[in-house]
Amino acid sequence: MHEHAPPAAGRDAAKAEEPGSAESSASPEKPAPAGKPSGRGATRLPGGKGRAASLAAVAAGVLVLAGGGAVVAAGSLVAGPESSRTVPAAEAAVPAGASLGVCPGPARLLEGTDAGTDAQFRPESATAATKVSAAVLSAGGVLPGSRLARLDGTAAVDIARDPGPAPTAAAPQELLAGVVADKPVDQVNVLSANALANQNASAAGAMKYTAKDGDLQGSAAATCGQPSNDQWLAGASTTVGRTSVLALTNASTTPATASLELFGAGGQVQAPGSRGLLVAPGTTRSVVLAGLAPNESQLSVHVRSAGGPVAASIQQSVLRGLTPGGVDFISPGTAPAVRQVMTGVDIQDPARVAALTAQPGYRDAGPALELTVPGASDAVVEIKLYGRDGQHALPSGGVITAKAGSTTEVSLAGVPAGQYTVAASSDVSFVAAARMSRGLQAGQPLDVAWAPSAVRLGSQHVVPVPKGGLRQLVFGALDTRATITYAPITADGKVRAAATADIAGGTTASIAVPEQAEGADVVGYVVSASGDAAYGAVLLGQDGRNDVSSLAFLAAAAGQETVPVTLGY
């Protein structure tokens, strides 16, 4: 999460190949034809001598033209200059900047506002609590300057004030962590970590909201997302009883102008007021999506901004009559691609889910996959589910056609209870997210969560884990075996000894997160993967309650970045 360089579209589970340089050879041109004299238009000269002189002159002209043609032909056989060859652009190092993560503010109820304006909120319950957890890793034994601050710049927690001397290439130092453990917050916060030795910092944060009463009871969690100029969010709904509020936060010092593209079941929604939304520096702008796209049961939002990058999230809540139906924060997933993977998708007993969703108003209380195809061609999508004991067939057959320019919902009803990794692939780029729910009895409070498409695991991901309740790390391996190492980060700033999980290809495994490791509270993990493509998520719940939340892993720090530079005129 680096403010100076938004991630390129398509940086996902697959590693991009670098194009090779092409070299063009100069081909000889066809010789130009010699000029031919013409009698037309020639001046008639009187007398024999004049005629002879004229003929001589014309003949000389023919020789000159022929010679000139020969020169042109010979010149065309010379190889082209070296500058005409295609050469690869040189790579230039970009100075590393501060890593930023914007943590959404608490879930709140609307008081009724017009679309496109800042929403006015009121407290939703007497038991609501919102807390932020975060971790920043050291480099060479030195912690980078880092802090958790409110959006106005005032510090909430100073994680590391003085980064000290820059690390050198000496012997490896002990890995340390700067920690924020369950910090209560009442507004949007920003996690920042400075670069160290021109390397981007490894840092990540997560927000968790809980409430035991009120219309927004349940739990919701969101990663502290990296600001970007291009991002996709899937899973919103604006039908009766469903409320979706898009929050756009500008944590930079540059004004941002955001534009929204909305995709529903019937195609792209042309909404007046969805373009040119100004987000001033250091502010959050809230947009009630029902004012732009009313009565949409499945809605995806493409957020693009000019000027400063913005962090986007959607507060989604359900109210069935007077019964709370769940609350969630929808986070951006990966950019459109030909393969999307969601892990940590928790599915309840299929028979009881079928009985619940058959009742009026509960159709969206079951698990589902949402696909959005932004292009002009339909996508034939193959869907595979990998559970604890291997691949499970989708009752619908597993191959569906998603219409171009619209959003398609694929029910996961009938899938046996358990935790799954959902992989969808097509020859057309698309966006995906998976819905899960908790609770099986109508008339009782339920909860809902969306799992966004995730990045492929690499080296040294920082994974914050909010304290309290049931906590699990969920990993999925697609085709062949993957090896996962995970080291607990404790509240005292230590990174404990790593454990290893060997995951068979085509399976999903979960690991219960303990309250403590070596006598200190566990607040996160450092996770690395090797072998085949693997994906991870944090699944959260509460004892004795129907709460459920999901946190996708953030991409690992990119280190020092380079950009192609082409010189020309």
Side-chain angles (χ1 to χ4, degrees):
M1 45 184 185
H2 318 295
E3 182 182 19
H4 73 278
R11 179 183 298 169
D12 57 3
K15 184 178 179 181
E17 295 182 358
E18 292 186 5
S21 60
E23 185 172 316
S24 60
S25 59
S27 59
E29 299 177 7
K30 186 176 181 180
K36 293 185 179 181
S38 173
R40 292 191 176 184
T43 304
R44 184 179 179 86
L45 299 177
K49 289 185 179 180
R51 183 179 181 86
S54 176
L55 291 174
V58 171
V62 172
L63 291 174
V64 171
L65 288 174
V71 171
V72 172
S76 66
L77 294 174
V78 179
E82 187 73 16
S83 60
S84 67
R85 298 182 179 179
T86 301
V87 295
E91 296 284 336
V94 177
S99 299
L100 293 181
V102 177
C103 314
R108 301 187 189 277
L109 289 173
L110 295 175
E111 286 187 345
T113 57
D114 295 329
T117 62
D118 285 348
Q120 300 298 314
F121 300 105
R122 65 179 176 84
E124 67 290 329
S125 80
T127 60
T130 304
K131 298 178 181 180
V132 170
S133 298
V136 180
L137 296 186
S138 64
V142 178
L143 281 173
S146 49
R147 68 175 186 162
L148 181 72
R150 301 176 182 88
L151 194 54
D152 61 8
T154 58
V157 177
D158 285 316
I159 301 173
R161 288 181 178 272
D162 182 11
T168 62
Q173 300 290 324
E174 179 185 5
L175 189 62
L176 304 174
V179 171
V180 176
D182 256 20
K183 170 67 177 178
V185 297
D186 59 2
Q187 58 181 284
V188 175
N189 281 263
V190 180
L191 173 67
S192 63
N194 297 329
L196 196 59
N198 205 27
Q199 299 290 315
N200 294 314
S202 294
M207 177 275 288
K208 180 183 178 183
Y209 160 92
T210 59
K212 297 180 181 178
D213 64 340
D215 290 346
L216 297 181
Q217 65 178 284
S219 68
T223 54
C224 300
Q226 173 191 352
S228 172
N229 293 105
D230 194 306
Q231 49 205 312
W232 286 82
L233 303 97
S237 177
T238 59
T239 56
V240 175
R242 282 73 179 163
T243 302
S244 294
V245 182
L246 172 67
L248 303 173
T249 298
N250 183 1
S252 74
T253 57
T254 303
T257 302
S259 294
L260 313 178
E261 289 181 321
L262 308 170
F263 296 86
Q268 188 169 353
V269 180
Q270 303 299 330
S274 62
R275 307 279 179 171
L277 304 175
L278 179 64
V279 186
T283 66
T284 295
R285 179 165 187 163
S286 299
V287 180
V288 183
L289 293 178
L292 300 177
N295 202 33
E296 290 285 349
S297 60
Q298 50 209 44
L299 185 66
S300 291
V301 183
H302 182 201
V303 180
R304 291 186 294 180
S305 65
V310 298
S313 64
I314 296 176
Q315 178 192 311
Q316 170 86 3
S317 60
V318 179
L319 191 64
R320 298 181 175 91
L322 298 177
T323 304
V327 60
D328 190 37
F329 283 95
I330 298 174
S331 299
T334 55
V338 295
R339 183 168 76 171
Q340 302 285 8
V341 180
M342 289 74 39
T343 194
V345 180
D346 191 81
I347 296 180
Q348 302 179 98
D349 178 71
R352 298 186 65 186
V353 168
L356 176 66
T357 55
Q359 301 190 43
Y362 284 86
R363 189 191 67 82
D364 60 350
L369 178 65
E370 188 169 296
L371 308 173
T372 302
V373 182
S377 300
D378 294 350
V380 178
V381 184
E382 182 180 17
I383 302 167
K384 296 181 179 180
L385 278 71
Y386 302 107
R388 185 179 303 276
D389 54 353
Q391 184 174 345
H392 288 254
L394 197 65
S396 61
V399 178
I400 62 100
T401 298
K403 294 296 183 182
S406 62
T407 298
T408 301
E409 183 174 293
V410 182
S411 174
L412 300 180
V415 176
Q419 295 171 355
Y420 292 89
T421 298
V422 182
S425 58
S426 174
D427 58 349
V428 174
S429 293
F430 62 98
V431 175
R435 182 180 68 219
M436 67 190 91
S437 59
R438 180 62 59 193
L440 294 167
Q441 186 174 349
Q444 297 295 321
L446 309 179
D447 202 10
V448 65
W450 283 91
S453 54
V455 298
R456 175 177 175 171
L457 296 184
S459 176
Q460 207 173 74
H461 295 260
V462 180
V463 181
V465 181
K467 294 177 64 177
L470 304 174
R471 308 180 297 175
Q472 297 178 77
L473 298 178
V474 184
F475 299 105
L478 298 189
D479 301 316
T480 58
R481 190 171 298 276
T483 300
I484 309 291
T485 59
Y486 52 101
I489 302 172
T490 50
D492 55 3
K494 294 183 179 180
V495 179
R496 306 292 178 169
T500 300
D502 197 26
I503 303 175
T507 66
T508 296
S510 60
I511 299 165
V513 177
E515 286 294 327
Q516 293 188 332
E518 300 181 36
D521 290 345
V522 175
V523 297
Y525 281 87
V526 180
V527 176
S528 298
S530 60
D532 190 45
Y535 300 82
V538 179
L539 193 61
L540 304 173
Q542 296 288 334
D543 274 323
R545 296 180 54 83
N546 289 329
D547 294 6
V548 62
S549 300
S550 177
L551 292 169
F553 288 11
L554 293 174
Q560 187 173 10
E561 298 184 17
T562 60
V563 296
V565 177
T566 303
L567 301 179
Y569 59 89

